[in-house]
Amino acid sequence: MSAAAERLAARSVDCLPPGGLAEKLALGRPLRVKLGVDPTAPDIHLGHSVVLGKLREFQDAGHLAVLIIGDWTARVGDPSGRASTRPVLDGEAIERNAATYREQAFRILDPERTEIRPNGEWFATMGMEQLFALAGSATVNQLLRRNDFAERMGADRPVSVLELLYPLMQAYDSVMVEADVELGGTDQLFNLMLAREIQASFGQPSQVVMTMPILPGVDGVQKMSKSLANHVGVADAPEEQFGRTMRIPDSALPEWYRLLAPGAPPPTGHPGQDKRRLAALIADRFHGPGAGAAAEEHFNRIVRDRGVPDEMPSVAVPAGLVHLPALLVDGLGIPSRSEARRLIAAGGVSLDGHAVTALDIDSAELSGKVLKAGKRRFARLTPGG
C-alpha cells in the first residue's frame, strides 16, 4: 500500500480489496468518495462523526465527498443489525430530518468539496424496467448471506421483500454517482461489498470499500444511538456535550480518544482528567476554540461546586413558551402541578443553581441547563420533545 493510501486508511477496519485504494489513487484524479446517510432521526451524533471525519480526511487530500441523503432508502429502513423489521417513516418526517442532516454535516465537511445527492433524485422516477434491471443484478442467495437476514430466517422471523431491496438500493446509489470509494461503519460491510458487484454488472469499475469502527455510546456498551439515549449530538450545546462526555465509563476512554481525537495525546491513565480533556476537545471541535473551557467552567460550577450528580435524566423541552409546573410534573416526577407551583414559590426550583420564580419560560432559556426541584430531583434539559 502506498504512503498516501496508508494515511487515508488509518484507523479503518476494512479497506477492500487489498491494494485497491492505492490503485484508485494512482489514477491521478480526485476520487469520488461516497457516504450514504439515511435521515431516520433529526440529529447527527458523535458516532456519525467518525465516518464523516474520515470523509473530511479524503477532502483534505484533494478528493470529492459525495454525500447521499437517503430520502428514499429511509422509506425502506436499513436492516443492518436488526432483529426485526423497521417501522416505515413518512415522507414529511424524512424531509425534516434531511434538512437537519445537511446543516449538521457541514460542521465536519468542507462544503466546497461536497456534492450532496438525495437518492430520491433517481428512485422517485425509477420505472419498472429500471427496477427489473436492478433486481436482476443480484440473487436471493446473495442477499440471504447477510447475517441479520440469515438469523431471522433461521428463527422464523419475517424478512420483508422491501428489506431485500435495501442493499440493492444502496448499491444503486454507487452506480448513479459513479463512486470510486464508499465509506461506512463495520455493520455496512455487506452492503458496501454488494455495491462492488452491482457496479460491475452495470459496466462500471468497482468501488473500494472502507469501513470505520462503531463508536460506543456514553454507556460504553451499545453503539451510539439517539433511540438508546446514549448519544452526544454534534449540534448539542457545549455544556451538554461536555457533561455527557464526562459520563462515559473509564473503559471507553481509549476508543473515544482514538476515534474522536486522533491527533491528541492518548489518555494518561487518570480518567477524570482524561475525560475533561476529551470533553473540552469535543466542544471546541463543534463550537470553536474556547467553547471547551467555558463548558468546563459551567460543569465545575453546576456539577462539582453545587453537588449536582453526574448521572441524571435528560428531559426534552418543546419549542416556545414552556409551563414550568407541567415540566416538573412530566419530567421530574413532581406529583401535581399545584405542588410544583408551591415548590417554585418557596424557592425550591432552580436552573443552573439559580432559583426560578416564573411559571412560564421560553424554551431558549431552558435548553442546556440543569433543572433542580427540591433536594434530590435533577434533569438536564435538551431541545426537542
Side-chain angles (χ1 to χ4, degrees), residues 238 280 283-285 287-297:
D284 281 346
R285 178 182 180 186
H287 296 280
E296 183 171 13
E297 189 279 330

Side-chain angles (χ1 to χ4, degrees), residues 6-344:
E6 285 184 0
R7 284 194 298 272
L8 287 170
R11 301 184 311 284
S12 65
V13 177
D14 303 290
C15 188
L16 300 169
L21 183 56
E23 291 178 10
K24 292 286 187 182
L25 292 172
L27 295 174
R29 60 168 174 80
L31 300 181
R32 296 177 61 78
V33 186
K34 171 199 169 192
L35 172 64
V37 291
D38 286 347
T40 54
D43 295 304
I44 291 176
H45 53 63
L46 294 185
H48 300 117
S49 79
V50 174
V51 69
L52 283 166
K54 177 57 67 176
L55 190 55
R56 177 58 188 259
E57 289 180 34
F58 273 93
Q59 288 184 309
D60 292 342
H63 305 289
L64 180 71
V66 183
L67 184 64
I68 303 290
I69 302 292
D71 55 341
W72 272 69
T73 40
R75 297 164 194 255
V76 176
D78 185 1
S80 297
R82 300 282 298 188
S84 59
T85 302
R86 280 185 183 273
V88 177
L89 293 178
D90 65 78
E92 186 176 325
I94 289 170
E95 186 48 46
R96 283 197 307 270
N97 294 344
T100 304
Y101 270 43
R102 293 185 190 99
E103 183 274 325
Q104 293 182 4
F106 288 131
R107 293 173 181 260
I108 300 169
L109 299 179
D110 176 1
E112 297 299 318
R113 301 196 66 85
T114 303
E115 179 182 306
I116 294 186
R117 305 286 294 275
N119 59 18
E121 185 181 321
W122 41 88
F123 287 126
T125 57
M126 176 178 273
M128 292 301 292
E129 185 175 352
Q130 293 168 296
L131 178 60
F132 291 161
L134 175 57
S137 64
T139 68
V140 173
N141 308 64
Q142 284 176 291
L143 298 177
L144 291 182
R145 286 203 297 266
R146 284 179 54 124
N147 289 338
D148 37 28
F149 285 162
E151 289 170 4
R152 283 159 62 182
M153 292 284 288
D156 199 28
R157 292 193 297 268
V159 176
S160 72
V161 174
L162 191 62
E163 288 179 286
L164 293 177
L165 286 178
Y166 186 93
L168 292 176
M169 293 173 72
Q170 183 173 337
Y172 194 65
D173 290 345
S174 292
V175 172
M176 294 305 294
V177 302
E178 299 183 11
D180 294 306
V181 179
E182 183 169 11
L183 307 181
T186 51
D187 58 345
Q188 292 292 308
L189 182 59
F190 178 94
N191 293 354
L192 274 54
M193 292 300 289
L194 179 67
R196 286 175 46 80
E197 300 180 41
I198 302 304
Q199 282 180 303
S201 73
F202 278 86
Q204 289 186 7
S206 295
Q207 66 187 18
V208 168
V209 166
M210 184 180 292
T211 65
M212 296 297 293
I214 294 176
L215 183 74
V218 296
D219 57 4
V221 179
Q222 301 188 76
K223 77 173 185 178
M224 186 171 287
S225 168
K226 188 164 186 180
S227 63
L228 296 174
N230 67 352
H231 67 291
V232 180
V234 302
D236 285 351
E239 297 83 5
E240 179 74 8
Q241 292 176 337
F242 193 99
R244 289 183 71 80
T245 300
M246 290 297 294
R247 293 166 53 185
I248 68 174
D250 298 351
S251 59
L253 269 170
E255 189 72 347
W256 274 54
Y257 263 91
R258 187 173 77 89
L259 298 179
L260 299 175
T268 64
H270 298 89
Q273 296 176 18
D274 291 332
K275 288 179 192 178
R276 285 175 174 272
R277 179 159 58 96
L278 178 62
L281 287 170
I282 289 170
D284 281 346
R285 178 182 180 186
F286 295 107
H287 296 280
E296 183 171 13
E297 189 279 330
H298 177 275
F299 181 86
N300 291 341
R301 176 166 51 86
I302 300 304
V303 177
R304 187 188 67 186
D305 299 340
R306 294 185 180 271
V308 176
D310 290 347
E311 297 288 336
M312 70 181 77
S314 292
V315 174
V317 293
L321 204 61
V322 176
H323 189 52
L324 188 56
L327 183 63
L328 290 169
V329 171
D330 296 338
L332 275 77
I334 300 300
S336 67
R337 294 191 184 189
S338 59
E339 183 169 335
R341 284 192 289 270
R342 285 194 294 271
L343 193 60
I344 293 169

